[in-house]
Amino acid sequence: MPPKKKEEAKIPLGRPGNTLKMGIVGLPNVGKSTTFNVLTKLSVPAENYLFCTKEPNNAQVMVPDSRFTKLLEMYQPSKSTAATLLITDIAGLVPGASEGKGLGNAFLFHIQAVDGIYQVVRTFEDPTITHAQGEVNPVADLETIHDELLAKDLQHVNGWIEEADKAVKRVQDKSKEEELAVLAKVQKTLNNNNFIKNVDWSPNEVEVLNRHLFLTAKPIIYLLNMSVEGYKKKYNKHLKAIVEWINAHGGGTVIPYSAAYEELVVAEEDKEAFCKEKGAPSAINKIIKAGYQSLGLIHFFTTLNNDLRCWSVRAGTVARKAAGQVHTDMEEGFIAADVIKYADLNELGSEAAVKAAGKMRKAGKDYVVEDGDIMSVSYTHLTLPTNREV
């Protein structure tokens, strides 16, 4: 039998790196800024008029993790740092944004700067809160965002194809020919009313896509903003049509929630008791975790110098690269890493017990870090060259 063909390494769509961020997107007055406020516990303007948000607001939020809480109890560190997620509140979009209407150009520029999208969809009725289109029609709102993102990507790819075509004709460059082929496939995808994220791409194609950072390549979490009563009753007349639309357009994570209800929760000192009394859980932790996971992020823990820290990396990151998150010297001088699985530590109660049970692993530079690993890195301490006069 011929040897099995080695599978190509999976490359994620989007910019490389581990400091990634989610952008909150939607039409004006759908609850974006209120959602940003309750996610981040900040207070940015959330008024009842179009384009209340003009410049993006940014915040870093803690990623909820019961493992981190347990490790705090076990290690009792003098310092600690949880995993975090960067979130941006982006100006509202209106039909024609791709042509510059409303705050269109700014809106689309700010979306390009984020790595994933929280799309807030208004499902609640409230005559005191103006809807940009005059009526609450979630499917129409979904179509608007879909069409504007797609139109902007088409504008970009048409221009890039023209440039690449000229370069190929001017100089015989194989890399430019390959880029042109990928861009032509993108153009066909968009002309078929499909998002780039919904198509299977080879690793080589993804490398080309990641140089251009298309808007429709970004993961989307759909946040369905309901009224307080609708959320508590788990009912809204638009939900079925919304889910059908999303499934027909590539699918995605859908989270019903109520920004108005979350405002009430945030104001309470005992949030758990309040939610129990009202009979409805807060969706904030679920929303944050979904955004973190949509970016392909995981985190590992270190306990160096009585300092418990979470370090976020892309899933599939090898130990040497992960060590570079802690310090560049650790990556450059990497020797090995002692790895403890959280489940083993939780079960046995201490690092000493894990070692005694033979469950601590000595991992090399190509070990793929797993979510929740506790790592201690051995590395060669690099020294700076001595300054000397020439």
Side-chain angles (χ1 to χ4, degrees):
M1 286 181 67
K4 285 185 178 180
K5 194 174 180 180
K6 190 176 178 181
E7 287 187 15
E8 293 181 285
K10 182 83 173 173
I11 302 174
L13 279 170
R15 76 187 83 231
N18 305 307
T19 309
L20 306 177
K21 59 184 175 180
M22 295 290 291
I24 301 179
V25 170
L27 272 66
N29 290 352
V30 297
K32 292 186 304 83
S33 293
T34 303
T35 300
F36 178 82
N37 288 343
V38 295
L39 282 171
T40 63
K41 298 177 178 63
L42 297 178
S43 182
V44 304
E47 307 300 332
N48 176 29
Y49 58 86
L50 302 185
F51 311 122
C52 170
T53 304
K54 293 184 179 179
E55 294 301 319
N57 299 294
N58 300 286
Q60 201 167 36
V61 302
M62 189 175 80
V63 178
D65 187 348
S66 59
R67 298 170 303 182
F68 181 68
T69 305
K70 181 67 176 178
L71 292 176
L72 285 173
E73 294 174 7
M74 294 176 68
Y75 284 94
Q76 297 289 307
S78 57
K79 293 191 294 182
S80 63
T81 306
T84 58
L85 177 66
L86 292 166
I87 300 180
T88 300
D89 179 21
I90 297 172
L93 175 148
V94 295
S98 58
E99 303 294 336
K101 291 184 180 178
L103 298 173
N105 289 327
F107 170 90
L108 295 163
F109 173 78
H110 292 140
I111 289 188
Q112 197 159 39
V114 303
D115 304 284
I117 294 171
Y118 285 127
Q119 184 169 338
V120 178
V121 183
R122 177 174 171 176
T123 71
F124 65 89
E125 304 278 352
D126 187 337
T128 67
I129 300 178
T130 308
H131 190 283
Q133 304 302 98
E135 65 173 347
V136 176
N137 186 338
V139 170
D141 293 354
L142 286 163
E143 289 282 0
T144 295
I145 301 281
H146 175 276
D147 293 349
E148 294 302 328
L149 297 182
L150 193 143
K152 200 64 182 179
D153 273 356
L154 261 176
Q155 287 177 19
H156 284 144
V157 78
N158 290 340
W160 287 325
I161 284 175
E162 189 176 333
E163 290 176 15
D165 190 45
K166 286 178 182 176
V168 167
K169 288 176 179 175
R170 187 169 59 249
V171 182
Q172 291 298 315
D173 185 336
K174 187 178 179 182
S175 67
K176 282 293 181 186
E177 290 176 6
E178 291 172 350
E179 181 179 20
L180 187 58
V182 176
L183 292 176
K185 183 176 175 180
V186 169
Q187 186 183 54
K188 182 178 180 181
T189 297
L190 297 172
N191 279 326
N192 287 335
N193 203 37
N194 199 3
F195 273 19
I196 292 166
K197 70 180 181 67
N198 299 332
V199 175
D200 289 327
W201 303 91
S202 72
N204 288 339
E205 289 173 329
V206 171
E207 286 184 1
V208 173
L209 295 174
N210 287 351
R211 292 201 291 270
H212 295 284
L213 299 176
F214 290 99
L215 303 179
T216 62
K218 302 178 190 296
I220 300 176
I221 306 291
Y222 296 95
L223 304 181
L224 311 188
N225 191 6
M226 306 169 69
S227 68
V228 173
E229 288 307 310
Y231 178 66
K232 287 161 68 175
K233 293 175 181 176
K234 300 181 181 178
Y235 174 78
N236 181 278
K237 65 181 181 181
H238 299 291
L239 291 183
K240 184 173 181 291
I242 292 170
V243 171
E244 286 175 354
W245 186 95
I246 291 169
N247 289 338
H249 291 79
T253 301
V254 178
I255 302 178
Y257 79 115
S258 170
Y261 179 69
E262 298 298 345
E263 282 188 304
L264 299 175
V265 176
V266 167
E268 292 292 323
E269 188 172 337
D270 190 338
K271 295 172 177 53
E272 190 174 337
F274 176 81
C275 290
K276 188 173 181 180
E277 178 191 337
K278 298 299 179 183
S282 168
I284 293 302
N285 287 354
K286 186 176 183 180
I287 291 170
I288 293 171
K289 286 181 180 179
Y292 190 78
Q293 291 165 359
S294 77
L295 297 175
L297 292 172
I298 62 169
H299 51 266
F300 65 96
F301 304 98
T302 60
T303 58
L304 186 67
N305 298 326
N306 202 29
D307 182 3
L308 174 64
R309 290 198 177 207
C310 292
W311 302 93
S312 296
V313 293
R314 281 283 184 91
T317 299
V318 295
R320 182 182 174 189
K321 286 290 182 185
Q325 286 294 104
V326 183
H327 198 286
T328 52
D329 280 1
M330 287 190 177
E331 180 178 352
E332 293 169 9
F334 184 91
I335 298 171
D338 290 326
V339 179
I340 293 175
K341 297 298 175 187
Y342 171 80
D344 293 332
L345 183 61
N346 188 42
E347 179 188 348
L348 298 173
S350 70
E351 285 192 10
V354 173
K355 290 177 187 176
K359 292 191 173 184
M360 176 183 280
R361 169 176 180 166
K362 183 73 74 174
K365 64 180 182 179
D366 295 325
Y367 165 74
V368 177
V369 176
E370 295 183 358
D371 189 38
D373 281 351
I374 298 103
M375 285 178 45
S376 176
V377 177
S378 302
Y379 65 103
T380 302
H381 292 256
L382 303 177
T383 55
L384 294 173
T386 305
N387 290 330
R388 61 179 68 178
E389 292 183 359
V390 178

